[in-house]
Amino acid sequence: MSKFIAKPATTLSGELKIPGDKSISHRSIMLGSLSEGVTKVSGFLEGEDALSTLKAFQAMGVKIEREDDNVTIHGVGIHGLKKPEKPLDLGNSGTSIRLMSGILAAQAFDSELVGDESLSKRPMGRVINPLKDMGAVIQSNDGKPPLKITGGQPLKGIHYDLPVASAQVKSCVLLAGLYADGDTCVTEPAPTRDHTERMLKGLGYDVRVNDNQMCLTGGGKLSATAIQVPSDISSAAFFMVAACIAPKSDITLMGVNINPTRTGVIDILKLMGANLTLSNEREIGGELLADIRIKSSELKGIQIPKALVPLAIDEFPAVFIAAGCAQGETILTGAKELRVKESDRIQVMADGLDILGVKNEVLDDGIKIQGGEFKEPTSIIESHHDHRISMSFAVASLRCAYPIEINGVDNVMTSFPNFVDLANSAGMDITEV
């Protein structure tokens, strides 16, 4: 088990290029594989999660070539996948297993989806239930992986109201809808990331979006195109918070995805008083990008608006560190989803904040954090192999007078392989041992 030793640092500076967006990298492989023609992807995230998706589609007969962050996908069309010779191992990737379930539920062959210890504990009922409504046959381990999907099932379109705002469930149902007879519509209770809809449209598939409902008709085709993956705002969030809390900082994050379904972390940090500005806004391949400049900030505690919760769901571990450095109390509610991520992120972050002497109160669907000074750690922080927990507490070292040790940081490779190098190049002092 590897760990970080993050030593105190006070200065952060430079222009930084964050790796490619993980959500878009996953979808580029899936939809590029199902397209007719050759899809060229640039800026692909070379993290283990996205590579799990890539390897899975290679195992289903898709020719995919990779050179650094450039990927060439020789699409096989909607019905061109072949039966894999063994279970598809998706490692730690919840996005892979949930989205691919929708695609595989419609194939002519049987398949099995497995993952690592962490993924094997994550709930899959949220995708199994609507897929079964469409006619899929799926076996699970009491609602958790491995998933055994029986092929040869004709799917029918459904109108599905999401019980919880979830881009993964929405995407799973829409991807199954590509194969279904008739219309498939998903209605969401709050906006969630819309990369699937955007990419489907970019590949020539008609997706009808009306307020909070997305519909498509099965039986169409996808046409290959070039895809440029912007920098991942979820990964950029660690450096946004780092620059806010560092005593001396001025950094610019280049070409970050500012898709409006993903910018909750920017809005939350601005409400807290972040010195954060956007420039050079542009659109590439249907996605919005901008350069983000952040300087040292005097943060204050806030009540986080519920409307922003689904727009920042992956960024809350970093936001909790910002809250720990803010003046006053920060309150988050309506975020029960955080309890079923790679770890129970509410409890695990609370445990780590306790170790740093930050007062907090865990709620059923959120947390209250009283900002103040970080004290000498009372013990090693356990990340529970959750990459976002690991990186968040590494960032906390910018406001510590003592080194922080963080256990179980191996899964940082899933989303941000060069995190340590990039952080150290900007002025932090992190060692992985």
Side-chain angles (χ1 to χ4, degrees), residues 223-244:
S223 301
T225 188
I227 298 172
Q228 180 175 335
V229 181
S231 289
D232 195 327
I233 194 167
S234 295
S235 296
F238 300 107
F239 285 93
M240 292 184 212
V241 170
C244 285

Side-chain angles (χ1 to χ4, degrees), residues 184-207:
T184 296
C185 295
V186 179
T187 303
E188 52 187 6
T192 65
R193 57 188 67 176
D194 62 356
H195 304 303
T196 299
E197 301 96 294
R198 286 176 183 260
M199 195 174 291
L200 283 169
K201 288 179 182 178
L203 293 166
Y205 210 98
D206 181 33
V207 181

Side-chain angles (χ1 to χ4, degrees), residues 297-375:
S297 309
E298 294 291 327
L299 299 179
K300 63 180 186 295
I302 62 166
Q303 170 91 43
I304 295 173
K306 283 196 175 179
L308 294 179
V309 172
L311 309 185
I313 198 69
D314 281 339
E315 293 75 54
F316 277 117
V319 170
F320 291 177
I321 297 299
C325 298
Q327 289 291 319
E329 186 176 60
T330 296
I331 303 172
L332 169 67
T333 57
K336 212 169 205 173
E337 178 81 0
L338 287 173
R339 291 197 175 273
V340 291
K341 291 290 188 177
E342 281 84 337
S343 66
D344 178 344
R345 286 183 173 159
I346 293 173
Q347 189 61 57
V348 174
M349 285 300 298
D351 293 343
L353 290 171
D354 286 341
I355 288 169
L356 294 179
V358 176
K359 292 181 181 176
N360 66 84
E361 179 187 345
V362 171
L363 310 174
D364 181 48
D365 63 345
I367 193 170
K368 295 180 181 179
I369 298 172
Q370 187 67 45
E373 294 294 318
F374 290 158
K375 298 183 171 60

